[in-house]
Amino acid sequence: MGIPVKLEAFEGPLDLLLHLIEKNKVDIYDIPIVLITEQYLEYVSQMDAKDMNIMSEFLVMAATLVRIKSKMLLPKDESEEEEEEDPRQELVERLLEYKMYKYASFELKDRQYDAARVFFKEPSIPEEIQNYKEEIDYEELLSDVTLSKLQEIFDSVMQKQVDKIDPIRSKFGEIEKEEINIEDQMLFVEEYAMLHGSFSFRKLLEHGTGKSYVIVTFLSVLEMMKTGMLSISQDKLFDDIQITYRPKGGKS
């Protein structure tokens, strides 16, 4: 079907391709190359061929699309062990790069528009006013200041410094890194499970502290569930998790 578009609406073949992708609402990472190629070729056939410099760019891209289309239509060689590279990969990368620069240009254009509305005014304050400095009579200013008032001011300043100190974080010592890994924790959980048979996840967490311990312990239980060594159950949502040891690695 025809696509009534004009050459002036696009700055080049990549701009046209990006328009077709957005118009058809398709994933740029999974371009339906047959559909896009047909629409692209239809547009090129309606172009004014007077400016060959512009026309040549669109024709090169048309040849690229046809080549990609032919590659995708060819049957795959099942004897090849390595996975073939997607013929569209290079085109997708070029489109993503173009899209990034295109939207960056929009941002720069908006900033240019905002900057055009900013005006700079040279300072026009008279030199007499600009260099004016008010004379201060320090004796009059400090006439009613006594040692007791100075002490109050000093105490107030020191109190403000104390108030800035976080009463909780300031007492923290050095943070020690918790040395725990999933392999060692799986051995511990296995020994604990063999000893207790059935137990709760909350009970298991009583043997360590910290967020890292909880995460590593939970991951260890999940890994041991995959092998069938453990099975878990939970009566209700948010209830404690019950863990059961399965010595033969049977399925839960």
Side-chain angles (χ1 to χ4, degrees):
M1 60 179 179
I3 45 175
V5 291
K6 296 181 180 180
L7 177 60
E8 290 76 15
F10 307 105
E11 299 179 358
L14 288 175
D15 198 33
L16 172 57
L17 279 177
L18 196 61
H19 165 75
L20 294 175
I21 290 171
E22 294 175 351
K23 176 173 176 276
N24 289 280
K25 297 180 180 179
V26 296
D27 186 358
I28 195 171
Y29 292 96
D30 188 19
I31 302 173
I33 201 68
V34 176
L35 173 65
I36 297 299
T37 301
E38 290 177 355
Q39 293 184 1
Y40 183 91
L41 292 175
E42 187 172 352
Y43 170 78
V44 171
S45 66
Q46 298 176 3
M47 286 179 57
D48 186 359
K50 291 180 181 179
D51 192 340
M52 291 307 298
N53 289 329
I54 297 178
M55 187 66 178
S56 61
E57 295 179 6
F58 283 83
L59 290 176
V60 169
M61 180 57 71
T64 302
L65 289 172
V66 172
R67 178 175 58 84
I68 295 173
K69 177 182 176 181
S70 62
K71 280 188 176 182
M72 295 189 69
L73 292 176
L74 289 174
K76 295 182 180 180
D77 189 356
E78 298 180 357
S79 62
E80 294 183 2
E81 295 182 359
E82 295 184 1
E83 184 178 353
E84 294 184 6
E85 183 179 354
D86 193 329
R88 302 169 295 179
Q89 181 64 31
E90 183 180 352
L91 179 61
V92 170
E93 292 176 356
R94 290 176 60 189
L95 281 169
L96 289 173
E97 184 178 14
Y98 175 78
K99 186 176 182 180
M100 178 183 66
Y101 285 117
K102 181 178 180 180
Y103 285 102
S105 68
F106 290 159
E107 179 67 22
L108 291 174
K109 187 176 182 180
D110 291 341
R111 293 192 180 188
Q112 182 184 15
Y113 176 75
D114 293 338
R117 296 160 55 186
V118 177
F119 298 93
F120 174 75
K121 179 180 179 297
E122 294 286 348
S124 57
I125 302 175
E127 186 176 352
E128 295 79 7
I129 298 177
Q130 187 176 4
N131 297 329
Y132 173 76
K133 292 183 179 179
E134 184 180 1
E135 295 183 1
I136 301 175
D137 188 347
Y138 292 102
E139 292 184 0
E140 181 181 355
L141 184 64
L142 301 174
S143 59
D144 60 340
V145 176
T146 62
L147 288 176
S148 60
K149 284 190 176 181
L150 287 175
Q151 184 64 41
E152 290 178 5
I153 295 172
F154 176 78
D155 293 340
S156 175
V157 171
M158 296 304 296
Q159 184 60 43
K160 288 180 179 179
Q161 296 299 321
V162 173
D163 293 341
K164 289 180 181 179
I165 300 174
D166 192 315
I168 298 176
R169 291 185 176 90
S170 62
K171 297 179 181 180
F172 287 173
E174 294 184 358
I175 300 176
E176 297 181 0
K177 182 180 179 181
E178 298 181 15
E179 298 294 339
I180 181 172
N181 58 67
I182 192 167
E183 291 79 9
D184 294 342
Q185 191 64 5
M186 286 177 66
L187 291 175
F188 167 74
V189 173
E190 182 178 0
E191 293 176 359
Y192 187 89
M194 292 172 63
L195 182 63
H196 293 82
S198 182
F199 52 94
S200 68
F201 184 66
R202 192 186 305 276
K203 198 72 177 177
L204 185 61
L205 295 179
E206 293 179 357
H207 296 270
T209 58
K211 187 183 295 184
S212 298
Y213 182 84
V214 175
I215 295 173
V216 173
T217 303
F218 184 70
L219 292 176
S220 300
V221 172
L222 291 180
E223 288 295 327
M224 296 173 73
M225 280 180 59
K226 291 180 181 179
T227 62
M229 187 178 297
L230 298 179
S231 64
I232 67 171
S233 61
Q234 188 179 37
D235 294 336
K236 296 180 181 179
L237 188 63
F238 303 121
D239 279 358
D240 197 3
I241 299 173
Q242 296 297 320
I243 304 172
T244 304
Y245 176 58
R246 304 175 66 85
K248 295 183 181 180
K251 296 181 179 179
S252 58

